[in-house]
Amino acid sequence: MNCVETQTHGDIVEIKLARAPVNALNPALCNAAREAVEHAIGHGAQGIVLSGGPKVFSAGLDVPYLLSLGDQRDHLLLAWQSFFGLARALASAQVPVVAAIAGHAPAGGCVLTLCCDYRVMAAGAYRIGLNETQVGLVAPEGIQRLMRRVVGTYRAERLLVAGAMVDADTALRIGLVDELVEIDQVAAHAREWLQQLLSLPRSAMLQTRALARADLIEALRPEHIELDRFVDSWYSPDTQAALQALVAKLGK
């Protein structure tokens, strides 16, 4: 079953994460989404909308799957590499990308939105944030940079250390998202913003955008992610206990 759906709206391509029930990011979904981004750009898309499911944009990495890998470190590395491959594809896309967040976006879901140019979120009781510390993980320096560039250094510190998930209104107030609309209008507003951007003189817009986003691409360089160290911490007893508790909670 295809876990990514695409729709073309003129020069804009919407890439929809479609792995039921909550778009948990496993390698198949991450690789399919990355390939869809690359295919859209390669076939002339002038802008991309990245959307997810109703009520949940993406629940983040597929923790039950990652835990099922046990001591297979090589497989765990590949899973995380597939996720960061998607993040880098969004960050380095040669055309603007808008996140259409029609629901919750914790952890890896939030990371993907931070890699986009603009974030439109559903108004209401939906939450977004990097909650890694709550499950015993340390967000790599590169991911922390993504948060800092959007909300500022001190605000990012407070959010990251607490592993805070903020509601939609707070996310808008602190700049974590750019716009709130009704849930059934999220993708349409994302396209409207893109269309306005694409109406500008193209060369000047794209060159300015590339300069403005250079730090985003730099943040995701391997030396700022330190994936080997991150995987080492994954196997720590405290982290494993917190992750197992999370999976048990999800199963209730």
Side-chain angles (χ1 to χ4, degrees):
M1 183 173 61
N2 191 359
C3 53
V4 170
E5 300 172 358
T6 60
Q7 292 182 332
T8 301
H9 305 270
D11 290 337
I12 296 171
V13 173
E14 179 179 348
I15 297 171
K16 182 178 181 179
L17 307 177
R19 182 179 179 235
V22 293
N23 289 322
L25 298 165
N26 68 350
L29 177 54
C30 291
N31 290 335
R34 175 183 53 77
E35 290 167 4
V37 170
E38 293 170 350
H39 182 272
I41 295 171
H43 286 74
Q46 303 300 298
I48 292 173
V49 172
L50 179 70
S51 64
K55 298 186 179 180
V56 181
F57 170 76
S58 169
L61 272 292
D62 188 339
V63 173
Y65 167 76
L66 295 176
L67 288 174
S68 76
L69 298 176
D71 293 332
Q72 299 179 84
R73 181 187 175 91
D74 289 348
H75 287 76
L76 186 62
L77 276 168
L78 287 173
W80 281 103
Q81 286 169 353
S82 70
F83 168 71
F84 283 111
L86 171 56
R88 291 186 180 104
L90 295 170
S92 62
Q94 297 171 345
V95 301
V97 184
V98 180
I101 313 165
H104 302 296
C110 180
V111 171
L112 297 184
T113 73
L114 291 171
C115 293
C116 298
D117 295 61
Y118 194 78
R119 285 159 288 281
V120 180
M121 188 172 183
Y126 302 109
R127 304 185 81 84
I128 184 171
L130 298 177
N131 59 336
E132 278 75 2
T133 59
Q134 295 191 24
V135 292
L137 292 170
V138 177
E141 165 63 15
I143 300 306
Q144 296 200 25
R145 289 188 185 193
L146 300 186
M147 181 64 87
R148 290 197 293 265
R149 79 185 293 272
V150 171
V151 302
T153 301
Y154 180 73
R155 179 77 68 179
E157 177 191 341
R158 296 274 58 82
L159 295 173
L160 288 160
V161 173
M165 294 286 295
V166 299
D167 60 35
D169 286 337
T170 302
L172 178 65
R173 177 171 55 82
I174 66 176
L176 185 52
V177 301
D178 299 288
E179 188 177 351
L180 297 183
V181 298
E182 294 301 314
I183 191 169
D184 59 351
Q185 294 296 312
V186 172
H189 275 262
R191 292 196 302 272
E192 288 176 11
W193 185 86
L194 263 179
Q195 287 166 348
Q196 293 177 8
L197 192 67
L198 295 177
S199 69
L200 297 173
R202 180 167 176 76
S203 179
M205 183 272 287
L206 290 178
Q207 289 184 57
T208 301
R209 176 181 177 271
L211 289 169
R213 289 170 63 83
D215 62 330
L216 178 60
I217 297 171
E218 173 66 22
L220 291 172
R221 288 175 63 88
E223 59 264 33
H224 301 309
I225 302 299
E226 295 187 290
L227 197 50
D228 283 324
R229 178 181 294 184
F230 182 80
V231 169
D232 286 342
S233 69
W234 174 272
Y235 286 115
S236 73
D238 286 350
T239 299
Q240 286 291 300
L243 290 168
Q244 294 288 353
L246 171 65
V247 170
K249 182 179 178 181
L250 292 174
K252 291 182 180 180

